[in-house]
Amino acid sequence: MRVLNAAQMREADRRTIEEIGIPSLVLMENAGRQAVAAMEAIYSDLLERQVAVLCGRGNNGGDGFVIARTLVQRGGDVSVFLLGLVADVRGDARINLEILGRLGVTVVEVADSQAWELHFSEVSDCTLIVDAIFGTGLNAPVSGLIESVIADVNASAIPVVAIDLPSGLSADSADPIGPVLDAGLTVTLAAPKLPLVLPPGETHAGDIVIADIGIPGEILESLDGPRVELLTRASMRALIAPRGSDTHKGDYGRITIVAGSPGKTGAAYLAASGALRSGAGLVTVATPASCQPVLAAMGPEYMTEALPDTDAGIDADAVDRVLDSARDVLALGPGLGQAPATRAFILQLVDRATMPLVVDADGLNAFGDDADRLTGREGRDVIITPHPGEMARLVGMSADEVQSSRLEIARNFAVAHHVYVVLKGHRTLIATPDEKVFINPTGNPGMATGGTGDVLTGMIAAWLAQLLDAEAACKLAVYLHGMAGDLAEADEGEVAMTSADLAGHLGDAIMELTGRRRVVDKGGA
């Protein structure tokens, strides 16, 4: 699902009006009525509430006028406040303002902070507020009257429904550009906007409903400009095809995972679990010889390969051994450690490997001072899965700097290095070499525990071997990873859940996504 900025939303409106022939007044009518429908779905007592509709002078205010009219005509108790002068309302918004007048609905003109102070008592008597002040039309911090409105409404604790965007957010940035009105529900029009799906802006939006106002999907998909998409259940479900009855393990990928070191064999085990639980046909864990007996005893489902090692790390001769045995996909990094010999081994292995690579954790740390060597090339996809600290080392920034510009940093690195970047964290991002960015909506804070990233590494490798498409593999693995985390959280809670719990719920996540949910008999028979 496409995520739009302000310019793209304006262009979508223009093309719908000029090329398709749907009048702008119809789009506004659709927006208002769809917003009311969304409100009814959330608030079953909507028509019993006292609703204050706060309208700006532009098209978002026009949407608000339609909302007010629709509620009044259904018998609702509605008060309408125009934050500005009636004389400044133009176009379709003016038409809908005048319709309200002809229906006998009084629109209170609030032209300045003094007038707001006078009328706020009326607003505070209401039990629901509709924010139709700016929508996507804001490009500078609010001040004066609107700043007072935002402060007073936020302090009132009255539930707020925002139309398109909570006032104070800009459609062009995930970061608030000034004071923001806090909504419990945001009805966004046609497509989501960046601050609704990325932190910290999303914290002001509450629940999100995407309203179909009549803009064709073909127009949304064909818009020029940044390509940012939100992963959806339907699109992810389409990536999983039923298995044929005559298939065998070789059809589902042979994965080699280079992982583990003394004290960190669990990382290798979790990566292997992620690969196996994601359907990989054969999984081999290549690990230092000193770790091989421990890792072999941890799980009978995968094979192990002992790599020669010393106190300084994995011997460089192990590169040939791994390359000779690896087949469809090679994943490396979880728990490998940062010993000097191990770092040299990783650099050589990545340089020489010809099969698709998934590089995580210590595999990435090896490139901390030489990120230019970490590149994809024709015929060999490279997927990297950094958390913010690992990404910071690759780009020479602090983790805080990475967090403040996650989307741009991930996209720029992916394009410059011809790799796929899976930047982990809340709302994990997937950036591709052709400048696309995907935002994952699944997952929860309980996943902030050691080992969940190792599980993801194995998952990506497994889906890459099955789908033979790096972009699709990243999207599906990340979505299912978060979904399994959500299922684990439902069983264990955010505090108690572990990465093993997440791995154990991968099968449930796949069945739920594909509509083949397990039926549990709770009748005690």
Side-chain angles (χ1 to χ4, degrees):
M1 178 182 294
R2 193 84 182 264
V3 179
L4 305 183
N5 60 29
Q8 289 171 324
M9 192 65 226
R10 287 194 299 271
E11 178 64 8
D13 280 335
R14 184 196 66 78
R15 289 181 57 185
T16 301
I17 295 163
E18 297 180 6
E19 298 176 11
I20 306 300
I22 300 176
S24 57
L25 196 61
V26 171
L27 295 179
M28 185 174 288
E29 184 74 15
N30 291 345
R33 291 186 174 275
Q34 289 291 329
V36 171
M39 292 162 63
E40 286 177 324
I42 299 296
Y43 300 103
S44 59
D45 61 346
L46 179 62
L47 296 182
E48 299 169 18
R49 289 177 177 256
Q50 293 175 283
V51 182
V53 184
L54 309 183
C55 298
R57 298 169 297 173
N59 285 340
N60 198 240
D63 299 334
F65 297 142
V66 175
I67 291 168
R69 171 178 23 104
T70 303
L71 291 174
V72 166
Q73 290 178 318
R74 296 182 185 181
D77 183 356
V78 183
S79 300
V80 186
F81 300 87
L82 172 63
L83 304 179
L85 298 174
V86 170
D88 292 336
V89 180
R90 301 279 190 273
D92 296 332
R94 180 71 181 216
I95 292 172
N96 279 299
L97 174 60
E98 292 174 349
I99 291 172
L100 277 179
R102 287 192 289 271
L103 289 173
V105 178
T106 299
V107 176
V108 179
E109 189 178 66
V110 182
D112 52 37
S113 295
Q114 185 176 0
W116 170 252
E117 186 177 346
L118 178 65
H119 290 289
F120 179 61
S121 60
E122 301 168 46
V123 175
S124 61
D125 286 338
C126 294
T127 55
L128 186 66
I129 294 173
V130 174
D131 167 20
I133 304 172
F134 286 119
T136 58
L138 187 68
N139 55 19
V142 300
S143 59
L145 167 62
I146 306 302
E147 187 173 13
S148 298
V149 170
I150 289 174
D152 289 341
V153 171
N154 284 346
S156 74
I158 300 170
V160 174
V161 177
I163 308 305
D164 221 4
L165 283 178
S167 291
L169 291 178
S170 165
D172 295 324
S173 173
D175 294 303
I177 58 175
V180 180
L181 201 154
D182 293 322
L185 169 67
T186 297
V187 183
T188 194
L189 309 179
K193 318 307 184 294
L194 276 177
L196 300 181
V197 294
L198 288 177
E202 64 170 9
T203 60
H204 299 280
D207 295 328
I208 309 297
V209 173
I210 301 168
D212 179 1
I213 64 171
I215 296 176
E218 294 80 4
I219 285 181
L220 298 176
E221 288 299 312
S222 63
L223 292 168
D224 292 334
R227 186 83 193 188
V228 180
E229 296 187 27
L230 182 68
L231 300 183
T232 64
R233 184 185 186 91
S235 62
M236 295 302 97
R237 180 175 180 173
L239 294 176
I240 303 179
R243 292 191 168 192
S245 58
D246 60 345
T247 56
H248 56 81
K249 59 182 179 287
D251 294 326
Y252 299 108
R254 295 160 295 181
I255 312 300
T256 298
I257 300 174
V258 183
S261 61
K264 297 179 181 178
T265 51
Y269 170 77
L270 289 167
S273 298
L276 288 164
R277 292 288 186 183
S278 298
L282 288 167
V283 175
T284 299
V285 181
T287 194
S290 57
C291 300
Q292 191 266 345
V294 175
L295 197 57
M298 294 176 77
E301 303 92 347
Y302 51 77
M303 297 171 285
T304 58
E305 174 83 15
L307 302 179
D309 63 324
T310 66
D311 290 342
I314 299 175
D315 194 284
D317 291 342
V319 173
D320 289 326
R321 180 174 298 186
V322 172
L323 293 178
D324 287 343
S325 62
R327 293 294 180 266
D328 298 327
V329 176
L330 176 62
L332 69 151
L336 275 177
Q338 300 181 48
T342 298
R343 179 178 182 274
F345 160 79
I346 291 169
L347 293 175
Q348 286 190 49
L349 183 59
V350 172
D351 281 346
R352 293 175 54 190
T354 57
M355 70 286 294
L357 294 175
V358 182
V359 187
D360 181 34
D362 290 324
L364 296 173
N365 291 329
F367 292 88
D369 57 1
D370 198 5
D372 287 343
R373 292 180 66 174
L374 186 58
T375 60
R377 55 177 180 257
E378 187 69 29
R380 187 192 75 165
D381 290 323
V382 174
I383 299 169
I384 67 171
T385 62
H387 59 53
E390 292 158 352
M391 192 79 237
R393 287 188 281 276
L394 290 175
V395 297
M397 295 181 174
S398 69
D400 287 343
E401 288 173 318
V402 168
Q403 287 292 75
S404 67
S405 302
R406 295 172 71 238
L407 192 150
E408 294 79 12
I409 287 172
R411 179 164 51 201
N412 291 344
F413 194 93
V415 172
H417 292 256
H418 308 289
V419 298
Y420 294 82
V421 177
V422 176
L423 182 52
K424 296 179 291 194
H426 176 56
R427 299 288 180 259
T428 291
L429 301 178
I430 301 161
T432 72
D434 56 353
E435 300 187 72
K436 291 182 286 189
V437 177
F438 300 91
I439 302 170
N440 180 52
T442 61
N444 64 82
M447 296 168 67
T449 185
T452 55
D454 303 322
V455 175
L456 179 62
T457 297
M459 293 176 66
I460 293 173
W463 286 114
L464 179 57
Q466 294 169 80
L467 300 177
L468 306 179
D469 180 329
E471 178 185 302
C474 290
K475 293 191 296 186
L476 182 57
V478 166
Y479 189 90
L480 285 169
H481 183 254
M483 198 172 177
D486 290 338
L487 292 171
E489 186 275 334
D491 282 349
E492 305 294 341
E494 289 182 352
V495 175
M497 67 176 283
T498 68
S499 51
D501 295 327
L502 185 153
H505 280 82
L506 285 174
D508 294 328
I510 294 169
M511 287 198 296
E512 184 164 313
L513 181 63
T514 57
R516 297 181 59 195
R517 299 184 65 174
R518 181 182 292 117
V519 177
V520 179
D521 182 4
K522 297 183 178 181

